[in-house]
Amino acid sequence: MRNERRLRFASALVAVGGVAITVYLLYVRASGATLACTTGGCETLQHFASAEVFGLPVAALGLTAFAGLVAAALARGGWARIAQATLALSAVLFSAYLLWLQVGRIGALCQWCLGSDLLITLLAALALVRLGLPPLATATAPVRPGPKKRPQGSRTNRKPRPQQRPQRR
Amino acid sequence: MSGLPSSRHRFALVLALSLLIAAGLITASELSAGKTGTETGREPAPPATDRLLAGIPQRGAALGSPTAPLTLVEYADLQCPYCGHWAQATLPVLVDRYVRSGRLRIVFNGMAFVGPDSNKGLLTALAAGRHGHLWDLVHGLYERQGAENSGWVSDGLIEEIAAGVPGLDGGRLLEERWDDRVGHELSAAAARAQQAGITQTPSFQLGPTGDTLERVDVSSLEPDGIVPQIEEALAR
């Protein structure tokens, strides 16, 4: 399950990056500070009607999603995998819609939104790979009663042989 | 792991749940945006009472009769002091001499490159344009122009300007300026400026209405800087 551990670690790391982006956007929104932007459309997009869902800033939704993804990545078990994949995939779909809004309807792009889109796409890919891994339960499956067979090639079930020093003559 | 769906079912479950959640969010976003949206093609605006603009038709970003033989496009930033000077010194002359008589139509192509206040002011002006009052807002802002990006395009200032324009609701304007469609108009104006190769403000294009316009180099920001070109174009 080394792969599982690596995937979880990588996912948590990427999701923390998303948390950082959304926290920055929320800070700028709350403080009224100038948003660092090289694409020119960040300031515009931050204030549009689409930047809120029923009064809640999209950045706050993003923060919730990324924080949830950190938690899901750190959690073990099959349901954690399902939760992580569901959250990541729905976030990708919503991000695609927001990207369409930026390009198609408003005509302005924001580097922070694009960065967040990239991270969420990466997270979804990682989550889907994790979801496709063999179930964790196989490692701790109850042993069926019956005659025990020693698995071939398995060293773990072998009794350690006492090492004998070669006798010197 | 008992109780967990099989591998294929896990993927199907994740896909179904994701679609459901995303659809919910998108619907909420659309409904939320729609609450502050404006309808296109609203009622024609009542005539402005401002002395300069009184009785002159405004449609979107255009000031003057749509059938005027000549069109002048002004590329300007609401924070640019030169644009402010031109608006105070030259625009009134052009309005009185050419626009009011139906010989010239002036189109305001706003640009927002100076900073956040330019952006905010232009969006508000474009929102006012949807009610036929873009020029009232633009001229009001030029009259009260503050230091660059000092936050001078405040909500209070917008409401103050709007209060002097019958038929314009300042509070509503403050909401409507963040409508996606207003943002699209801002982007379209920026694209037009880029296409015309505009790198400084104020810049101008002049030509027959509905035909190709040509760049006009003004010799000064006073009326003398542009009046000869207008006279020449009208004489053609």
Side-chain angles (χ1 to χ4, degrees), chain A residues 123-155:
Chain A
L123 278 169
L126 290 170
L128 288 175
V129 171
R130 186 186 175 197
L131 188 70
L133 288 177
L136 288 168
T138 50
T140 55
V143 180
R144 285 182 185 173
K148 283 186 180 177
K149 284 184 181 178
R150 198 172 69 191
Q152 284 185 346
S154 166
R155 287 181 173 227

PDB file of all heavy atoms in Angstrom, chain A residues 123-155:
ATOM      1  N   LEU A 123      -5.789  17.169  -8.557  1.00  0.00           N
ATOM      2  CA  LEU A 123      -6.362  16.463  -7.404  1.00  0.00           C
ATOM      3  C   LEU A 123      -7.373  15.415  -7.836  1.00  0.00           C
ATOM      4  O   LEU A 123      -7.438  14.331  -7.263  1.00  0.00           O
ATOM      5  CB  LEU A 123      -7.030  17.477  -6.464  1.00  0.00           C
ATOM      6  CG  LEU A 123      -6.083  18.200  -5.512  1.00  0.00           C
ATOM      7  CD1 LEU A 123      -6.791  19.357  -4.835  1.00  0.00           C
ATOM      8  CD2 LEU A 123      -5.541  17.237  -4.460  1.00  0.00           C
ATOM      9  N   ALA A 124      -8.166  15.755  -8.858  1.00  0.00           N
ATOM     10  CA  ALA A 124      -9.164  14.802  -9.339  1.00  0.00           C
ATOM     11  C   ALA A 124      -8.473  13.579  -9.946  1.00  0.00           C
ATOM     12  O   ALA A 124      -8.896  12.440  -9.716  1.00  0.00           O
ATOM     13  CB  ALA A 124     -10.066  15.468 -10.377  1.00  0.00           C
ATOM     14  N   ALA A 125      -7.400  13.826 -10.689  1.00  0.00           N
ATOM     15  CA  ALA A 125      -6.664  12.715 -11.296  1.00  0.00           C
ATOM     16  C   ALA A 125      -6.096  11.803 -10.208  1.00  0.00           C
ATOM     17  O   ALA A 125      -6.237  10.576 -10.265  1.00  0.00           O
ATOM     18  CB  ALA A 125      -5.558  13.254 -12.186  1.00  0.00           C
ATOM     19  N   LEU A 126      -5.495  12.406  -9.179  1.00  0.00           N
ATOM     20  CA  LEU A 126      -4.923  11.627  -8.077  1.00  0.00           C
ATOM     21  C   LEU A 126      -6.013  10.842  -7.333  1.00  0.00           C
ATOM     22  O   LEU A 126      -5.830   9.679  -6.981  1.00  0.00           O
ATOM     23  CB  LEU A 126      -4.198  12.550  -7.093  1.00  0.00           C
ATOM     24  CG  LEU A 126      -2.899  13.198  -7.586  1.00  0.00           C
ATOM     25  CD1 LEU A 126      -2.435  14.281  -6.604  1.00  0.00           C
ATOM     26  CD2 LEU A 126      -1.802  12.152  -7.741  1.00  0.00           C
ATOM     27  N   ALA A 127      -7.149  11.521  -7.129  1.00  0.00           N
ATOM     28  CA  ALA A 127      -8.252  10.885  -6.390  1.00  0.00           C
ATOM     29  C   ALA A 127      -8.812   9.696  -7.174  1.00  0.00           C
ATOM     30  O   ALA A 127      -9.153   8.660  -6.591  1.00  0.00           O
ATOM     31  CB  ALA A 127      -9.356  11.903  -6.112  1.00  0.00           C
ATOM     32  N   LEU A 128      -8.895   9.840  -8.491  1.00  0.00           N
ATOM     33  CA  LEU A 128      -9.431   8.740  -9.307  1.00  0.00           C
ATOM     34  C   LEU A 128      -8.458   7.564  -9.347  1.00  0.00           C
ATOM     35  O   LEU A 128      -8.883   6.408  -9.335  1.00  0.00           O
ATOM     36  CB  LEU A 128      -9.754   9.228 -10.723  1.00  0.00           C
ATOM     37  CG  LEU A 128     -10.978  10.147 -10.826  1.00  0.00           C
ATOM     38  CD1 LEU A 128     -11.156  10.682 -12.236  1.00  0.00           C
ATOM     39  CD2 LEU A 128     -12.250   9.431 -10.369  1.00  0.00           C
ATOM     40  N   VAL A 129      -7.168   7.872  -9.370  1.00  0.00           N
ATOM     41  CA  VAL A 129      -6.166   6.789  -9.334  1.00  0.00           C
ATOM     42  C   VAL A 129      -6.277   6.057  -7.994  1.00  0.00           C
ATOM     43  O   VAL A 129      -6.267   4.832  -7.935  1.00  0.00           O
ATOM     44  CB  VAL A 129      -4.741   7.357  -9.535  1.00  0.00           C
ATOM     45  CG1 VAL A 129      -3.696   6.271  -9.276  1.00  0.00           C
ATOM     46  CG2 VAL A 129      -4.579   7.911 -10.941  1.00  0.00           C
ATOM     47  N   ARG A 130      -6.421   6.838  -6.921  1.00  0.00           N
ATOM     48  CA  ARG A 130      -6.545   6.229  -5.590  1.00  0.00           C
ATOM     49  C   ARG A 130      -7.804   5.365  -5.497  1.00  0.00           C
ATOM     50  O   ARG A 130      -7.794   4.289  -4.907  1.00  0.00           O
ATOM     51  CB  ARG A 130      -6.584   7.336  -4.524  1.00  0.00           C
ATOM     52  CG  ARG A 130      -6.567   6.803  -3.105  1.00  0.00           C
ATOM     53  CD  ARG A 130      -6.758   7.909  -2.090  1.00  0.00           C
ATOM     54  NE  ARG A 130      -6.868   7.378  -0.743  1.00  0.00           N
ATOM     55  CZ  ARG A 130      -7.347   8.035   0.293  1.00  0.00           C
ATOM     56  NH1 ARG A 130      -7.751   9.281   0.142  1.00  0.00           N
ATOM     57  NH2 ARG A 130      -7.434   7.471   1.485  1.00  0.00           N
ATOM     58  N   LEU A 131      -8.875   5.873  -6.102  1.00  0.00           N
ATOM     59  CA  LEU A 131     -10.150   5.131  -6.078  1.00  0.00           C
ATOM     60  C   LEU A 131     -10.007   3.791  -6.800  1.00  0.00           C
ATOM     61  O   LEU A 131     -10.648   2.805  -6.441  1.00  0.00           O
ATOM     62  CB  LEU A 131     -11.242   5.980  -6.749  1.00  0.00           C
ATOM     63  CG  LEU A 131     -12.660   5.455  -6.662  1.00  0.00           C
ATOM     64  CD1 LEU A 131     -13.188   5.546  -5.238  1.00  0.00           C
ATOM     65  CD2 LEU A 131     -13.583   6.244  -7.589  1.00  0.00           C
ATOM     66  N   GLY A 132      -9.174   3.754  -7.834  1.00  0.00           N
ATOM     67  CA  GLY A 132      -9.005   2.539  -8.627  1.00  0.00           C
ATOM     68  C   GLY A 132      -8.038   1.537  -8.016  1.00  0.00           C
ATOM     69  O   GLY A 132      -7.918   0.414  -8.510  1.00  0.00           O
ATOM     70  N   LEU A 133      -7.369   1.907  -6.917  1.00  0.00           N
ATOM     71  CA  LEU A 133      -6.437   0.961  -6.281  1.00  0.00           C
ATOM     72  C   LEU A 133      -7.217  -0.199  -5.663  1.00  0.00           C
ATOM     73  O   LEU A 133      -8.384  -0.047  -5.306  1.00  0.00           O
ATOM     74  CB  LEU A 133      -5.639   1.676  -5.178  1.00  0.00           C
ATOM     75  CG  LEU A 133      -4.562   2.675  -5.610  1.00  0.00           C
ATOM     76  CD1 LEU A 133      -3.941   3.316  -4.370  1.00  0.00           C
ATOM     77  CD2 LEU A 133      -3.479   1.986  -6.426  1.00  0.00           C
ATOM     78  N   PRO A 134      -6.571  -1.362  -5.491  1.00  0.00           N
ATOM     79  CA  PRO A 134      -7.268  -2.476  -4.849  1.00  0.00           C
ATOM     80  C   PRO A 134      -7.707  -2.085  -3.446  1.00  0.00           C
ATOM     81  O   PRO A 134      -7.047  -1.265  -2.803  1.00  0.00           O
ATOM     82  CB  PRO A 134      -6.211  -3.584  -4.802  1.00  0.00           C
ATOM     83  CG  PRO A 134      -4.982  -3.049  -5.402  1.00  0.00           C
ATOM     84  CD  PRO A 134      -5.219  -1.663  -5.880  1.00  0.00           C
ATOM     85  N   PRO A 135      -8.833  -2.661  -3.017  1.00  0.00           N
ATOM     86  CA  PRO A 135      -9.349  -2.290  -1.691  1.00  0.00           C
ATOM     87  C   PRO A 135      -8.330  -2.573  -0.599  1.00  0.00           C
ATOM     88  O   PRO A 135      -7.598  -3.548  -0.660  1.00  0.00           O
ATOM     89  CB  PRO A 135     -10.573  -3.190  -1.520  1.00  0.00           C
ATOM     90  CG  PRO A 135     -10.895  -3.686  -2.869  1.00  0.00           C
ATOM     91  CD  PRO A 135      -9.654  -3.651  -3.684  1.00  0.00           C
ATOM     92  N   LEU A 136      -8.312  -1.668   0.369  1.00  0.00           N
ATOM     93  CA  LEU A 136      -7.376  -1.809   1.481  1.00  0.00           C
ATOM     94  C   LEU A 136      -7.628  -3.089   2.266  1.00  0.00           C
ATOM     95  O   LEU A 136      -6.731  -3.672   2.820  1.00  0.00           O
ATOM     96  CB  LEU A 136      -7.551  -0.623   2.444  1.00  0.00           C
ATOM     97  CG  LEU A 136      -7.035   0.725   1.963  1.00  0.00           C
ATOM     98  CD1 LEU A 136      -7.550   1.806   2.888  1.00  0.00           C
ATOM     99  CD2 LEU A 136      -5.522   0.729   1.942  1.00  0.00           C
ATOM    100  N   ALA A 137      -8.902  -3.542   2.282  1.00  0.00           N
ATOM    101  CA  ALA A 137      -9.310  -4.653   3.124  1.00  0.00           C
ATOM    102  C   ALA A 137      -8.573  -5.950   2.781  1.00  0.00           C
ATOM    103  O   ALA A 137      -8.441  -6.836   3.610  1.00  0.00           O
ATOM    104  CB  ALA A 137     -10.797  -4.884   3.017  1.00  0.00           C
ATOM    105  N   THR A 138      -8.072  -6.138   1.551  1.00  0.00           N
ATOM    106  CA  THR A 138      -7.414  -7.386   1.170  1.00  0.00           C
ATOM    107  C   THR A 138      -6.185  -7.649   2.029  1.00  0.00           C
ATOM    108  O   THR A 138      -5.797  -8.774   2.227  1.00  0.00           O
ATOM    109  CB  THR A 138      -6.968  -7.339  -0.303  1.00  0.00           C
ATOM    110  OG1 THR A 138      -6.248  -6.132  -0.495  1.00  0.00           O
ATOM    111  CG2 THR A 138      -8.133  -7.423  -1.245  1.00  0.00           C
ATOM    112  N   ALA A 139      -5.601  -6.582   2.512  1.00  0.00           N
ATOM    113  CA  ALA A 139      -4.400  -6.760   3.328  1.00  0.00           C
ATOM    114  C   ALA A 139      -4.731  -7.319   4.699  1.00  0.00           C
ATOM    115  O   ALA A 139      -3.911  -7.970   5.322  1.00  0.00           O
ATOM    116  CB  ALA A 139      -3.678  -5.438   3.481  1.00  0.00           C
ATOM    117  N   THR A 140      -5.952  -7.076   5.175  1.00  0.00           N
ATOM    118  CA  THR A 140      -6.316  -7.536   6.522  1.00  0.00           C
ATOM    119  C   THR A 140      -7.508  -8.485   6.477  1.00  0.00           C
ATOM    120  O   THR A 140      -8.227  -8.616   7.447  1.00  0.00           O
ATOM    121  CB  THR A 140      -6.663  -6.331   7.397  1.00  0.00           C
ATOM    122  OG1 THR A 140      -7.690  -5.584   6.736  1.00  0.00           O
ATOM    123  CG2 THR A 140      -5.470  -5.428   7.655  1.00  0.00           C
ATOM    124  N   ALA A 141      -7.714  -9.130   5.326  1.00  0.00           N
ATOM    125  CA  ALA A 141      -8.869 -10.018   5.181  1.00  0.00           C
ATOM    126  C   ALA A 141      -8.747 -11.200   6.141  1.00  0.00           C
ATOM    127  O   ALA A 141      -7.637 -11.703   6.371  1.00  0.00           O
ATOM    128  CB  ALA A 141      -8.944 -10.539   3.752  1.00  0.00           C
ATOM    129  N   PRO A 142      -9.887 -11.581   6.710  1.00  0.00           N
ATOM    130  CA  PRO A 142      -9.823 -12.725   7.642  1.00  0.00           C
ATOM    131  C   PRO A 142      -9.362 -14.000   6.918  1.00  0.00           C
ATOM    132  O   PRO A 142      -9.759 -14.222   5.777  1.00  0.00           O
ATOM    133  CB  PRO A 142     -11.270 -12.844   8.142  1.00  0.00           C
ATOM    134  CG  PRO A 142     -12.096 -12.109   7.146  1.00  0.00           C
ATOM    135  CD  PRO A 142     -11.229 -11.055   6.548  1.00  0.00           C
ATOM    136  N   VAL A 143      -8.593 -14.782   7.572  1.00  0.00           N
ATOM    137  CA  VAL A 143      -8.050 -16.006   6.952  1.00  0.00           C
ATOM    138  C   VAL A 143      -9.111 -17.092   6.993  1.00  0.00           C
ATOM    139  O   VAL A 143      -9.756 -17.308   8.004  1.00  0.00           O
ATOM    140  CB  VAL A 143      -6.797 -16.472   7.723  1.00  0.00           C
ATOM    141  CG1 VAL A 143      -6.230 -17.726   7.093  1.00  0.00           C
ATOM    142  CG2 VAL A 143      -5.767 -15.353   7.744  1.00  0.00           C
ATOM    143  N   ARG A 144      -9.311 -17.670   5.838  1.00  0.00           N
ATOM    144  CA  ARG A 144     -10.317 -18.739   5.803  1.00  0.00           C
ATOM    145  C   ARG A 144      -9.822 -19.951   6.577  1.00  0.00           C
ATOM    146  O   ARG A 144      -8.643 -20.285   6.509  1.00  0.00           O
ATOM    147  CB  ARG A 144     -10.561 -19.157   4.355  1.00  0.00           C
ATOM    148  CG  ARG A 144     -11.378 -18.146   3.600  1.00  0.00           C
ATOM    149  CD  ARG A 144     -11.610 -18.662   2.211  1.00  0.00           C
ATOM    150  NE  ARG A 144     -12.282 -17.672   1.416  1.00  0.00           N
ATOM    151  CZ  ARG A 144     -12.494 -17.808   0.122  1.00  0.00           C
ATOM    152  NH1 ARG A 144     -12.089 -18.895  -0.510  1.00  0.00           N
ATOM    153  NH2 ARG A 144     -13.113 -16.871  -0.548  1.00  0.00           N
ATOM    154  N   PRO A 145     -10.752 -20.590   7.267  1.00  0.00           N
ATOM    155  CA  PRO A 145     -10.337 -21.807   7.975  1.00  0.00           C
ATOM    156  C   PRO A 145      -9.981 -22.905   6.977  1.00  0.00           C
ATOM    157  O   PRO A 145     -10.570 -22.999   5.904  1.00  0.00           O
ATOM    158  CB  PRO A 145     -11.567 -22.171   8.817  1.00  0.00           C
ATOM    159  CG  PRO A 145     -12.709 -21.486   8.139  1.00  0.00           C
ATOM    160  CD  PRO A 145     -12.151 -20.267   7.467  1.00  0.00           C
ATOM    161  N   GLY A 146      -9.083 -23.724   7.324  1.00  0.00           N
ATOM    162  CA  GLY A 146      -8.685 -24.821   6.437  1.00  0.00           C
ATOM    163  C   GLY A 146      -7.194 -25.027   6.519  1.00  0.00           C
ATOM    164  O   GLY A 146      -6.502 -24.329   7.262  1.00  0.00           O
ATOM    165  N   PRO A 147      -6.765 -25.970   5.778  1.00  0.00           N
ATOM    166  CA  PRO A 147      -5.322 -26.240   5.826  1.00  0.00           C
ATOM    167  C   PRO A 147      -4.522 -25.070   5.279  1.00  0.00           C
ATOM    168  O   PRO A 147      -4.881 -24.511   4.243  1.00  0.00           O
ATOM    169  CB  PRO A 147      -5.158 -27.473   4.928  1.00  0.00           C
ATOM    170  CG  PRO A 147      -6.367 -27.492   4.070  1.00  0.00           C
ATOM    171  CD  PRO A 147      -7.467 -26.841   4.832  1.00  0.00           C
ATOM    172  N   LYS A 148      -3.536 -24.716   5.997  1.00  0.00           N
ATOM    173  CA  LYS A 148      -2.726 -23.575   5.581  1.00  0.00           C
ATOM    174  C   LYS A 148      -1.736 -24.009   4.521  1.00  0.00           C
ATOM    175  O   LYS A 148      -1.078 -25.039   4.639  1.00  0.00           O
ATOM    176  CB  LYS A 148      -1.963 -23.002   6.763  1.00  0.00           C
ATOM    177  CG  LYS A 148      -2.815 -22.163   7.667  1.00  0.00           C
ATOM    178  CD  LYS A 148      -1.966 -21.518   8.733  1.00  0.00           C
ATOM    179  CE  LYS A 148      -2.832 -20.679   9.646  1.00  0.00           C
ATOM    180  NZ  LYS A 148      -2.049 -20.090  10.736  1.00  0.00           N
ATOM    181  N   LYS A 149      -1.712 -23.183   3.498  1.00  0.00           N
ATOM    182  CA  LYS A 149      -0.724 -23.441   2.463  1.00  0.00           C
ATOM    183  C   LYS A 149       0.292 -22.308   2.486  1.00  0.00           C
ATOM    184  O   LYS A 149      -0.077 -21.147   2.570  1.00  0.00           O
ATOM    185  CB  LYS A 149      -1.388 -23.483   1.096  1.00  0.00           C
ATOM    186  CG  LYS A 149      -2.137 -24.762   0.834  1.00  0.00           C
ATOM    187  CD  LYS A 149      -2.689 -24.754  -0.583  1.00  0.00           C
ATOM    188  CE  LYS A 149      -3.457 -26.042  -0.821  1.00  0.00           C
ATOM    189  NZ  LYS A 149      -4.059 -26.052  -2.175  1.00  0.00           N
ATOM    190  N   ARG A 150       1.491 -22.675   2.385  1.00  0.00           N
ATOM    191  CA  ARG A 150       2.510 -21.627   2.360  1.00  0.00           C
ATOM    192  C   ARG A 150       2.581 -21.009   0.973  1.00  0.00           C
ATOM    193  O   ARG A 150       2.797 -21.746   0.000  1.00  0.00           O
ATOM    194  CB  ARG A 150       3.861 -22.225   2.717  1.00  0.00           C
ATOM    195  CG  ARG A 150       4.829 -21.158   3.126  1.00  0.00           C
ATOM    196  CD  ARG A 150       6.094 -21.754   3.654  1.00  0.00           C
ATOM    197  NE  ARG A 150       6.842 -22.409   2.595  1.00  0.00           N
ATOM    198  CZ  ARG A 150       7.886 -23.204   2.798  1.00  0.00           C
ATOM    199  NH1 ARG A 150       8.268 -23.469   4.014  1.00  0.00           N
ATOM    200  NH2 ARG A 150       8.540 -23.761   1.811  1.00  0.00           N
ATOM    201  N   PRO A 151       2.321 -19.743   0.892  1.00  0.00           N
ATOM    202  CA  PRO A 151       2.364 -19.134  -0.444  1.00  0.00           C
ATOM    203  C   PRO A 151       3.768 -19.184  -1.030  1.00  0.00           C
ATOM    204  O   PRO A 151       4.746 -18.998  -0.336  1.00  0.00           O
ATOM    205  CB  PRO A 151       1.948 -17.675  -0.185  1.00  0.00           C
ATOM    206  CG  PRO A 151       2.095 -17.471   1.264  1.00  0.00           C
ATOM    207  CD  PRO A 151       2.051 -18.787   1.940  1.00  0.00           C
ATOM    208  N   GLN A 152       3.746 -19.500  -2.324  1.00  0.00           N
ATOM    209  CA  GLN A 152       5.040 -19.627  -2.975  1.00  0.00           C
ATOM    210  C   GLN A 152       5.698 -18.258  -3.133  1.00  0.00           C
ATOM    211  O   GLN A 152       5.042 -17.292  -3.500  1.00  0.00           O
ATOM    212  CB  GLN A 152       4.856 -20.256  -4.355  1.00  0.00           C
ATOM    213  CG  GLN A 152       4.598 -21.737  -4.248  1.00  0.00           C
ATOM    214  CD  GLN A 152       4.524 -22.385  -5.601  1.00  0.00           C
ATOM    215  OE1 GLN A 152       4.418 -21.709  -6.608  1.00  0.00           O
ATOM    216  NE2 GLN A 152       4.589 -23.698  -5.598  1.00  0.00           N
ATOM    217  N   GLY A 153       6.945 -18.256  -2.882  1.00  0.00           N
ATOM    218  CA  GLY A 153       7.707 -17.026  -3.083  1.00  0.00           C
ATOM    219  C   GLY A 153       7.544 -16.012  -1.982  1.00  0.00           C
ATOM    220  O   GLY A 153       8.160 -14.970  -1.986  1.00  0.00           O
ATOM    221  N   SER A 154       6.625 -16.337  -1.038  1.00  0.00           N
ATOM    222  CA  SER A 154       6.428 -15.382   0.044  1.00  0.00           C
ATOM    223  C   SER A 154       7.435 -15.632   1.151  1.00  0.00           C
ATOM    224  O   SER A 154       7.516 -16.733   1.681  1.00  0.00           O
ATOM    225  CB  SER A 154       5.001 -15.511   0.577  1.00  0.00           C
ATOM    226  OG  SER A 154       4.913 -14.837   1.792  1.00  0.00           O
ATOM    227  N   ARG A 155       8.138 -14.609   1.472  1.00  0.00           N
ATOM    228  CA  ARG A 155       9.157 -14.760   2.513  1.00  0.00           C
ATOM    229  C   ARG A 155       8.587 -14.457   3.878  1.00  0.00           C
ATOM    230  O   ARG A 155       9.140 -14.867   4.877  1.00  0.00           O
ATOM    231  CB  ARG A 155      10.324 -13.822   2.243  1.00  0.00           C
ATOM    232  CG  ARG A 155      11.152 -14.288   1.089  1.00  0.00           C
ATOM    233  CD  ARG A 155      12.313 -13.371   0.844  1.00  0.00           C
ATOM    234  NE  ARG A 155      13.165 -13.964  -0.182  1.00  0.00           N
ATOM    235  CZ  ARG A 155      14.469 -14.052  -0.058  1.00  0.00           C
ATOM    236  NH1 ARG A 155      15.069 -13.601   1.012  1.00  0.00           N
ATOM    237  NH2 ARG A 155      15.201 -14.586  -1.025  1.00  0.00           N
TER     238      ARG A 155
END
